[in-house]
Amino acid sequence: MIRFDNIKVVFDDVTAISELDLDVSEGEFFTLLGPSGCGKTTALRTLSGLVSPTSGDIYIDGRAVTTLPSDKRGVGMVFQNYALFPSMSVRENIAFGLKVRRTSADERRTLVTDIARRVDLSDDQLDKNVADLSGGQQQRVAIARALVLKPKILLLDEPLSNLDAKLRQQLRVELKDLQVQSGITTVYVTHDQDEALTMSDRIAVFNRGRVEQIGTPQEIYEKSATEFVCTFIGDSTKLGPELVSRLTDHSPSRLDPSRLSYLRVEKVLLEDRAGAPTGAQQRDPAGSTVSLEGRIVARSYHGQHSRYTVRSHDSDVKVLVKEIGASTLDIGHPVHLRVDPAHVLQYQATA
Ligand code: ADP
Ligand code: MG
C-alpha cells in the first residue's frame, strides 16, 4: 500500500533521513517510533508530499507519487499542533477541505455531522469557536477534519503528546478503535514507546535518520535487534562482564561476556536468602535459571509494584516486584537473583 524506496532527505547541511526503505500494508496501523529529532516528522511529511525527498521514491498503491502534489495523494494528515484555523468554528474547520473541493452545502452538513459523531464531538460543539475547546476536543476536530475527506491513508504526527496523561490514555484507546473500525491504513508517529507498543500492528524504530528495526510490538520488545532498540524500548539493566561470566558458567554456549548484555527488569526473579520468591512473583518452571548472590542497594515504592536495585558481582541489576503486604527487604539485605540466561539480550560493541 505504501512504500518508501531508498528515501533520503537532506535540509541544507542536516541529513534528516539517510536511507529509508519501508513497506506498509493495507489496513495496517504502522508506527514510526524514535527520540526527538530522529526524522519521524520528515518521513511523514515526505509521504504526504509536504517535503520532497533528496533522492528515492514514494509509492502509494503501487504508483510512484514522489512528484504528485499533497492533495492528489489520498492522504489525510493530523499535525502535532493540530494546525486548526483559530478564528473558525468547529464546523468550518472540519468542512474546510470539503469547501475547497466544492462539495455542496447540504452534503457538507451531512458529512460533517456524521464524522463529528464518529470522533465523539457532540452536535452542540459544532458551532463553537475551536479556540474555546479543550485540547482533547481540538484533537478530535483535527482528526475529523482529516477523515471527512475519506483519505485512503491517515497520517498522525504525535497526535496525543500535547494532552495530559489521563486523556492521552483514553484517546489512545478511542483512536485505535476508530482505526480498527474504519480499517484505514494509518501511519502514526510517536516518541512514546508505550503508545507504540499498545496501538501498533508493526513498528519501525528510528534513530538518527535510520530505521534500526521493523517488527511487531512483541518482536521489537522481546527480540530487540540492536542495542539502541533495547535501551530505547522497555526498562533494562546493562550487565557487566563478570556477571555475564557467572551466567555463562551454567550456559557455556550462549553468552559472550565481551558483548554488550542487557536484561529486562521483569525477567529477573528476586528471592530471599532462603531461596523463596518475594512478592507476587512466579517462578518459571520451564526456564533453566541461574541463582546469583546479591545485596539490595536501592528500593522505591510505586504502589502496584516496587523497584529494587541489587548489586551482584559487577552489576547493579534492576528488578520489579509486585508487593503483597509489607516488604521485608530493606537496603543492605542479602538476596538471590534468579535469571534465565536465555533472557539476556546481547549486542556487538560498536567502535
Ligand atoms: P522528529 O519528528 O523525529 O523529531 P524531524 O523529522 O522533525 O524529527 O527532524 C529531523 C532532523 O531534521 C532534525 O535535525 C531537524 O532539525 C531537521 N529538520 C527538520 N525539518 C527541517 C527543515 N524544514 N529545515 C531544516 N532542518 C529540518
Ligand atoms: Mg516530529
Side-chain angles (χ1 to χ4, degrees), residues 246-266:
R246 293 298 167 138
L247 290 167
T248 305
D249 291 345
H250 302 271
S251 156
S253 59
R254 223 191 75 87
L255 296 176
D256 176 352
S258 71
R259 289 193 170 210
L260 304 168
S261 305
Y262 291 87
L263 191 53
R264 299 267 184 223
V265 290
E266 69 282 2

Side-chain angles (χ1 to χ4, degrees), residues 69-232:
S70 197
D71 59 341
K72 298 282 190 294
R73 295 189 185 193
V75 302
M77 180 137 173
V78 176
F79 298 89
Q80 181 167 7
N81 57 5
Y82 316 149
L84 298 173
F85 307 109
S87 57
M88 290 187 192
S89 70
V90 170
R91 186 190 302 283
E92 287 165 336
N93 265 278
I94 300 176
F96 187 82
L98 295 171
K99 218 167 172 176
V100 172
R101 285 188 186 174
R102 303 184 183 284
T103 309
S104 73
D106 274 356
E107 201 180 345
R108 280 205 311 264
R109 184 162 270 278
T110 314
L111 289 171
V112 168
T113 311
D114 284 352
I115 204 70
R117 288 198 183 127
R118 284 208 15 230
V119 300
D120 266 329
L121 281 168
S122 59
D123 292 355
D124 62 308
Q125 283 169 332
L126 286 178
D127 294 306
K128 286 187 180 165
N129 193 300
V130 281
D132 294 332
L133 299 185
S134 68
Q137 287 167 333
Q138 290 187 10
Q139 180 56 66
R140 291 169 203 270
V141 176
I143 292 170
R145 187 178 61 176
L147 286 179
V148 78
L149 298 172
K150 299 196 166 53
K152 287 180 294 180
I153 299 167
L154 181 62
L155 308 182
L156 299 158
D157 192 357
E158 312 237 11
L160 307 182
S161 60
N162 293 336
L163 306 172
D164 62 55
K166 197 137 198 182
L167 191 59
R168 209 156 59 216
Q169 293 278 357
Q170 184 194 333
L171 282 181
R172 204 190 267 186
V173 176
E174 284 184 24
L175 203 53
K176 177 69 184 176
D177 284 351
L178 190 71
Q179 192 271 336
V180 170
Q181 279 165 26
S182 64
I184 188 168
T185 308
T186 301
V187 183
Y188 189 91
V189 161
T190 184
H191 65 274
D192 182 327
Q193 47 144 320
D194 218 40
E195 242 172 50
L197 291 174
T198 54
M199 297 175 83
S200 317
D201 294 316
R202 284 191 306 149
I203 298 169
V205 184
F206 273 59
N207 180 28
R208 296 165 186 240
R210 283 175 196 282
V211 170
E212 296 248 344
Q213 185 173 11
I214 300 173
T216 64
Q218 200 166 354
E219 284 164 353
I220 296 279
Y221 185 83
E222 298 279 344
K223 299 192 183 104
S224 301
T226 66
E227 187 190 18
F228 174 82
V229 176
C230 177
T231 51
F232 187 71

Side-chain angles (χ1 to χ4, degrees), residues 11-12 14-16 35-43 157-158 189:
F11 297 110
D12 306 322
V14 180
T15 301
S36 173
C38 69
K40 306 180 296 294
T41 294
T42 302
D157 192 357
E158 312 237 11
V189 161

Side-chain angles (χ1 to χ4, degrees), residues 22-42:
L22 211 63
D23 283 289
V24 179
S25 308
E26 181 149 18
E28 211 173 10
F29 193 114
F30 193 97
T31 297
L32 314 182
L33 171 66
S36 173
C38 69
K40 306 180 296 294
T41 294
T42 302

